[in-house]
Amino acid sequence: MKGMFITVEGPDGAGKTNLIKRLVKAIEAEDTRPLVVTREPGGSQIAEEIREILLTPRHMNMDPRTEALLLAAGRRQHVVEKIRPALERGDNVLSDRFVDSSIVYQGQARGIGIDVVKEINSFAVEGLKPDLTIYLDVDAEVGLNRIKHKDSNRSQDRLELEKVAFHDEVRKGYHTLIEEEPERFVVIDASQSEEDVFQETWRRVKDRLIK
Ligand code: TYD
């Protein structure tokens, strides 16, 4: 594989969406390889349909293992249809969330276990790992407040409706992953201004783009 696989992770309300918009322009200006920008849950037609099922607040009764399996199923299709072919062509790929999200949201916060979530995802992605993961670190309460205040027209999805304690566990899960693989993560303090978050991220990511 010649392309570089970059993921962006963080708790809800960390500011991934805004960062990604700016990062895309910066990467495209720096690196001549095409950049495929994608997201999870979703990223391919089947996976986007699964996303609807996962995020609608109509399904508040979804079982945690069902949730983990649907996420892994969507991810499988996303990897097979989009991510792997892009990397094999030599394109770079930037994904808003990937396996780490399942490990922390389902494994840690839902409490079904980190190891079991790692296992179903290893079945789904067959060893595919990001080369680099940007982690936007923000306090759970700060993140959730941002979501509530930023766009009052946008309704909250099923996972955002979880309480602060759930999102505290999400953050704890990320910190465990970073301890396990410090070299893969670029950790950014996302309580800074949008501008500072971008500047710091770009300063630290620029040199790590695989030439
Ligand atoms: P996302 O679209 O990234 O929402 P936001 O931009 O608001 O953070 O993700 C939607 C929700 O899905 C988010 O609460 C995180 C959750 N999620 C999981 O629980 N497990 C996963 O594997 C993924 C990819 C997302």
Side-chain angles (χ1 to χ4, degrees), residues 13-16 18-19 22 134-139 142-143 146 150 171 186-204:
K16 288 182 292 102
N18 287 327
L19 174 68
R22 299 189 64 176
I134 298 159
Y135 170 65
L136 295 187
D137 192 37
V138 75
D139 180 71
V142 173
R146 277 188 188 164
K150 202 164 67 185
R171 191 180 188 206
V186 167
V187 180
I188 305 288
D189 172 6
S191 68
Q192 305 175 85
S193 70
E194 213 178 290
E195 176 67 24
D196 289 349
V197 166
F198 168 70
Q199 293 298 346
E200 188 189 338
T201 305
W202 183 233
R203 184 171 53 75
R204 294 176 57 193

Side-chain angles (χ1 to χ4, degrees), residues 8-17 39-42 51 54-55 67-68 71-72 75 96-107 110 117 121 147 154 157-162 166-167 170 174:
V8 182
E9 294 279 352
D12 294 73
K16 288 182 292 102
T17 313
R39 68 156 180 193
E40 290 198 349
R51 177 187 171 97
L54 280 162
L55 297 185
E67 181 176 280
L71 282 155
R75 181 165 296 129
D96 181 347
R97 300 192 181 280
F98 194 58
V99 173
D100 295 331
S101 284
S102 282
I103 297 173
V104 306
Y105 280 82
Q106 283 64 51
R110 290 274 189 238
V117 174
N121 277 281
I147 294 169
R154 174 181 169 280
D157 71 42
R158 188 171 56 83
L159 282 124
E160 286 167 355
L161 287 168
E162 287 290 338
F166 176 87
H167 292 96
V170 166
Y174 277 122

Side-chain angles (χ1 to χ4, degrees), residues 27-42:
I27 295 173
E28 283 178 334
E30 179 77 15
D31 192 323
T32 52
R33 288 172 291 192
L35 177 66
V36 173
V37 184
T38 190
R39 68 156 180 193
E40 290 198 349

